[in-house]
Each structure stands twice: as C-alpha cells, then as structure tokens.
Amino acid sequence: PPRSKLFPYTALFRSNCRSILNKSEELDHIIQETDADIIVLTETWMDSSVPQQSCVPEGYCIIRKDRSENFKQKYGKLGGGGIAIIHKENIKVERKKYLTDETEEILWVQIKVKESFMLGVIYRSEYTDVIKESEGESKIEENIRKATEISNHLIITGDFNIDMSNKEDKDTQTLTNIYHSFGLQQCIKKPTRIDKRYNKPTIIDHIWASKDENMISQAGTIHGISDHMG
C-alpha cells in the first residue's frame, strides 16, 4: 500500500529493468503505487543517443551513468548496462564523482535528507572484475572505504549477479565477507529472480545497509519491470 505522508522515512524503490526506454508506463505505475522518493535502476540500456531527461516522471530528476567507453573496451561488451538514480525534485542529491568509477558500473551519491546517507548503486555483470582483489583490495572495497570517509550511514543496492541464497558459492562468500568487514548487512531475504538455466529462485538483487545505524526501517520485494522483482 502507499505509505502515509506522516511517516518521516525516505522510500526507496530499486529495479533491474533490462531497458527502461519501453517501460515508462510500468515505472510510472510503480511510483504512483509506492510514492517512492528515490528510484534506483540498473540495466537502463541508455546511452548518449538517449536525451538526458528521458523516462523521468514529472516532479523527479535523474542522475545517469550510462555504460562507459572504458567498460566497452575493457570487456568487449558494447550494449546493455547503465545505471540511474531518479529522485523527487525536493530531495537534495549530490553526485560523488570521485567515487563513481570511470570503468565499472558503480554510482555514488549523497542523499541529503534529515538523516543523510551515502547511496551506492552497482550493476555487476558476472564477467567483470568488481569483486576481484587487486593490490590488496577489490573495486567494491575501495569504493566502500572511500564512502565511509564521508559518512557511516551507507546503503548499497543493485544487481550483483551473486546469489545470496547459495551459501557455498565462492562469490557469495567473498561478497559477504567484504560487506561484513564494513559492518553492512543484506536486507533482501526473498528470491528476486528465477535462474532460467536451472529453474531455480535466486537472490541476486541486494540492499546492503549499515547494521549499527538502523538505516532500514522495512525492506522486501514487490513486482518489478522485468524478470527481476523490485
């Protein structure tokens, strides 16, 4: 149900959309249904040919990070990808450019509300190096470490393509150890996508938040705008 205006918290909706360009109506419907203050999108599939304000509902602003040329050259993947943060015009959001990786699909902003927090958005394709250690730390670790220099209030969300329900998986263990080392906990407990190869439910869409800061009042899943739950 729509949240009451009496509640002081910030409502955040996240979806892996697998192209937002033909799903504006679905996005508008979810925004009306949830009254979301902040909408986080992964796999927008937008690029420089798409006008900056495309797919932005009335009363909202957008911060985009389309798939970069560095990414395309490094991994040889030309299409897809892209992340974006859509937020209500009355919310002050500051993009942290020095935290936003030039190659990997990582975007950081500071949400300046009553209880301000750092918001990181990640789209990790399985073939990328985001969680691989290099010179003592992975790209994710470097990002989180720098973010904590600004604030201890962190929320990190996105499509990680790492199934948190598979405790024996090496990538699951690696990612869990990384986030736990920074005092972050995973808030999504229900499956977010069916793996069609094995017909198996998976939790690959995550919300990690600072455990000791009571960052998340309530978390769960709802219908999304692709084969991923929101």
Side-chain angles (χ1 to χ4, degrees):
R3 66 190 176 91
S4 168
K5 293 292 187 181
L6 297 176
F7 286 101
Y9 60 80
T10 302
L12 184 150
F13 169 76
R14 197 213 71 81
S15 184
N16 189 78
C17 47
R18 294 183 57 81
S19 180
I20 191 59
L21 298 177
N22 60 349
K23 296 173 182 172
S24 295
E25 289 186 9
E26 291 97 323
L27 180 61
D28 288 344
H29 175 73
I30 289 174
I31 290 174
Q32 291 174 15
E33 193 176 90
T34 61
D35 190 25
D37 297 296
I38 300 167
I39 301 97
V40 176
L41 302 175
T42 51
E43 282 203 85
T44 61
W45 295 9
M46 292 194 286
D47 57 30
S48 58
S49 68
V50 180
Q52 180 66 24
Q53 295 300 313
S54 292
C55 306
V56 181
E58 185 177 354
Y60 286 79
C61 302
I62 190 170
I63 297 174
R64 281 168 47 178
K65 185 178 190 295
D66 302 340
R67 177 159 284 181
S68 69
E69 292 301 320
N70 288 353
F71 185 102
K72 295 174 184 177
Q73 292 177 14
K74 180 176 181 179
Y75 297 112
K77 303 290 184 178
L78 302 182
I83 51 184
I85 297 170
I86 298 173
H87 62 90
K88 287 183 177 177
E89 291 177 340
N90 65 327
I91 296 177
K92 187 174 181 180
V93 178
E94 181 181 335
R95 182 172 186 163
K96 297 297 183 181
K97 292 185 177 180
Y98 74 97
L99 281 176
T100 300
D101 194 82
E102 291 184 4
T103 300
E104 305 298 345
E105 299 195 293
I106 302 174
L107 172 63
W108 280 91
V109 299
Q110 186 171 20
I111 309 294
K112 297 187 175 182
V113 291
K114 184 177 180 180
E115 297 289 341
S116 294
F117 60 93
M118 295 292 295
L119 174 62
V121 184
I122 297 172
Y123 175 58
R124 173 196 171 268
S125 299
E126 293 174 318
Y127 52 79
T128 63
D129 298 333
V130 171
I131 66 169
K132 293 179 180 178
E133 189 173 296
S134 175
E135 298 183 359
E137 64 181 356
S138 65
K139 183 61 65 175
I140 283 182
E141 289 175 287
E142 178 189 357
N143 268 254
I144 299 174
R145 175 176 54 79
K146 290 180 178 179
T148 58
E149 295 172 1
I150 300 174
S151 173
N152 290 324
H153 295 71
L154 302 184
I155 294 177
I156 305 172
T157 185
D159 176 1
F160 291 78
N161 282 299
I162 294 176
D163 180 14
M164 297 309 297
S165 64
N166 185 359
K167 304 299 183 183
E168 304 303 317
D169 181 72
K170 183 180 178 182
D171 286 344
T172 301
Q173 294 172 357
T174 297
L175 190 67
T176 300
N177 290 337
I178 289 172
Y179 280 112
H180 284 182
S181 70
F182 288 97
L184 303 173
Q185 64 181 349
Q186 216 288 96
C187 302
I188 302 301
K189 308 301 181 183
K190 294 182 179 180
T192 62
R193 185 175 184 268
I194 301 296
D195 186 329
K196 295 179 181 178
R197 293 171 295 181
Y198 307 106
N199 196 31
K200 174 189 173 186
T202 60
I203 307 174
I204 62 173
D205 304 273
H206 310 164
I207 296 178
W208 296 85
S210 302
K211 181 165 52 175
D212 298 331
E213 303 294 333
N214 296 317
M215 292 292 301
I216 303 292
S217 173
Q218 182 180 351
T221 59
I222 63 171
H223 61 87
I225 51 179
S226 71
D227 58 346
H228 294 245
M229 296 291 287

